[in-house]
Amino acid sequence: MAIKLKTRQPTGIVPWPLILLEGEEGAGKTYSAAEFSASTRIGQMYWVDLAEGSADEYAAIPGARYLIIEHDGTYRDILEQIRAVFLEARRAAAAGEPPVVLAVDSGTALWRMLKTWTNERARRSKNNAQLLEENPDAAIDVGMNLWNDATDRWLEVIHLLQTFPGIAIITARGKQISAIDDNGRPVKDRGRVLREWKVQAQKDLAFDCSVWVRMRRGKNPQVIKARSLQLRVEDGKPLNLEAFTVEDLVFNRLGCSMDSQPRQMPALVGDRVQAWLEDNDVDELKDVEKLRQLWWDAAEPDTGLARAEVVSIRGAIERKVAVLENPPTEMGQGPLSDADKLRAAAERKAAEEPDVDPDDVTVPEPTRRPARKRTTAKKTTAAKVPARR
């Protein structure tokens, strides 16, 4: 089948921004975000307070009007609430209402939570747990796979903010630190340790945001970066803003309006396996028959899945079915063997017939599948599922 070229004309419309407000403590980051809620040019603002505790007090700012998102402090609940705001913003945009605003205060706390989660997982690993049992102060090994998981969780939130159908704001702490080389040693110039500015969050946050504003006590806010044709910031020359407000930045300097749209940024993924599993709730399903039906559905032509993706999806479903049909019976015990199943059946029969002693019941040895003869034909893997009804 010939590949069809997919194109579209560019709109030239200024997209809604993801604004990073970062800087020193007490420089006005949270205040500026809360002050923006008083603007008559926006719709409802939703506020996600992450370990900052300022949301209630800052509602006393004249004209401030925002709703605080309640969450239980877990990543899953925070992510679900942000998704809920995303859907509400999409509804408001489709209805032609003023843009919804989402403020996350702060990105520093979110990344700190994910770092803590990463270290807790590392401490629970088998090798590290044994090491800490012998020496509670021992240095543990935090695997790269754990850091990758933390980054994936971070990027889930950032992608929602980048494609938000309205205005998104995220705050973060920033400060000057000693410059460190790749070996962890201070970088010196003529005997003096060099200093550099660091945003205290995941390392790509400043790059992922469309507008980056730095705020320092006693100094004018500076626009460090702006991905915009309207607001030009020369390399190495931050733009000083004497009377800074988020409203002026969004609607006057960036040129956003009711015609603005979210950035068109499809999530980049290596394949469609994980998305398919999540869309069909494979991890949550407990119904074996539904899982078996999904095993067949994965190969339907309208899914658009490649053969390798179908194989991976079916493998995940088969593993889930095996766990549901053969669960462990005791803590630390793996799935039941065939002999265990037969013995359990004998015990159930004895329970139904009180005169029968379970020790008198002969448990047959499980039958072994005969070895398959090797052939020169192409090797295939047969899935253990029932025939289609």
Side-chain angles (χ1 to χ4, degrees):
M1 183 177 65
I3 299 176
K4 184 179 179 181
L5 183 64
K6 298 186 293 184
T7 65
R8 68 176 179 86
Q9 290 290 338
T11 64
I13 296 175
V14 177
W16 293 118
L18 168 54
I19 303 171
L20 168 61
L21 301 178
E22 63 90 5
E24 299 170 334
E25 300 85 348
K29 305 181 294 296
T30 302
Y31 185 95
S32 296
E35 180 187 45
F36 183 43
S37 69
S39 172
T40 58
R41 304 170 76 173
I42 65 172
Q44 182 64 61
M45 174 184 280
Y46 295 91
W47 194 280
V48 182
D49 191 310
L50 302 179
E52 295 295 333
S54 304
D56 283 305
E57 181 180 2
Y58 277 68
I61 295 174
R65 51 181 183 88
Y66 54 81
L67 294 177
I68 301 173
I69 296 295
E70 294 187 329
H71 58 84
D72 61 10
T74 63
Y75 173 81
R76 172 173 290 187
D77 197 32
I78 293 168
L79 180 64
E80 288 176 351
Q81 290 301 311
I82 291 176
R83 284 175 174 163
V85 177
F86 184 98
L87 295 176
E88 170 59 19
R90 178 183 289 173
R91 182 209 62 77
E97 300 174 5
V100 169
V101 180
L102 173 61
V104 178
D105 186 32
S106 67
T108 299
L110 177 61
W111 182 239
R112 184 170 60 238
M113 177 187 71
L114 292 174
K115 289 196 299 182
T116 301
W117 173 66
T118 299
N119 281 282
E120 288 174 348
R121 293 180 68 198
R123 294 174 70 89
R124 292 196 298 262
S125 69
K126 183 176 180 180
N127 292 337
N128 286 333
Q130 292 177 348
L131 180 63
L132 291 172
E133 186 176 357
E134 298 173 359
N135 180 9
D137 298 324
I140 63 173
D141 178 34
V142 182
M144 186 55 66
N145 62 310
L146 301 182
W147 284 116
N148 289 340
D149 289 346
T151 301
D152 287 343
R153 288 194 170 195
W154 168 267
L155 291 178
E156 279 192 88
V157 173
I158 292 300
H159 186 71
L160 288 172
L161 300 184
Q162 288 178 317
T163 58
F164 191 73
I167 303 164
I169 302 171
I170 185 169
T171 67
R173 299 179 185 180
K175 63 179 182 180
Q176 277 194 333
I177 62 171
S178 299
I180 303 296
D181 62 19
D182 293 337
N183 296 319
R185 295 174 297 190
V187 178
K188 297 183 179 181
D189 181 31
R190 299 178 182 178
R192 298 182 61 182
V193 177
L194 297 181
R195 306 280 287 176
E196 63 180 1
W197 190 271
K198 179 178 176 57
V199 178
Q200 295 180 296
Q202 202 274 344
K203 62 181 180 180
D204 292 329
L205 175 59
F207 178 84
D208 291 333
C209 294
S210 52
V211 183
W212 174 7
V213 179
R214 178 171 296 161
M215 308 183 74
R216 305 180 67 177
R217 294 188 300 272
K219 297 183 179 180
N220 291 327
Q222 296 179 317
V223 178
I224 307 300
K225 181 202 77 173
R227 192 176 298 133
S228 168
L229 293 177
Q230 307 292 327
L231 181 62
R232 305 300 297 271
V233 180
E234 297 183 18
D235 185 29
K237 297 181 179 180
L239 177 63
N240 285 300
L241 302 176
E242 293 185 3
F244 171 75
T245 64
V246 177
E247 180 180 20
D248 176 67
L249 175 66
V250 172
F251 293 107
N252 298 332
R253 296 182 181 274
L254 293 177
C256 294
S257 67
M258 285 294 294
D259 294 328
S260 294
Q261 300 175 351
R263 294 185 182 273
Q264 301 300 313
M265 297 173 57
L268 303 181
V269 294
D271 61 28
R272 287 164 286 190
V273 172
Q274 190 60 36
W276 195 95
L277 294 173
E278 291 177 357
D279 290 343
N280 290 277
D281 296 325
V282 171
D283 286 343
E284 304 298 328
L285 276 178
K286 305 297 183 183
D287 190 320
V288 173
E289 290 304 318
K290 289 183 178 179
L291 287 167
R292 285 174 173 158
Q293 184 58 47
L294 287 175
W295 190 95
W296 286 108
D297 294 345
E300 293 293 338
D302 58 357
T303 63
L305 296 169
R307 182 181 180 280
E309 293 172 332
V310 172
V311 172
S312 296
I313 288 171
R314 284 182 163 180
I317 293 175
E318 290 166 10
R319 290 190 294 272
K320 182 63 182 290
V321 170
V323 171
L324 292 175
E325 292 187 333
N326 194 16
T329 57
E330 296 180 4
M331 184 181 297
Q333 180 180 1
L336 295 175
S337 65
D338 290 342
D340 291 331
K341 292 180 181 178
L342 292 170
R343 188 172 294 106
E347 291 175 353
R348 286 195 299 270
K349 183 178 179 180
E352 295 171 359
E353 302 178 15
D355 295 335
V356 179
D357 187 345
D359 294 334
D360 296 335
V361 179
T362 302
V363 179
E365 290 295 326
T367 57
R368 294 188 178 181
R369 184 176 299 172
R372 180 180 297 174
K373 295 182 180 180
R374 294 187 178 180
T375 64
T376 57
K378 184 177 180 180
K379 185 177 180 181
T380 59
T381 302
K384 190 177 180 181
V385 295
R388 185 195 295 268
R389 294 180 179 176

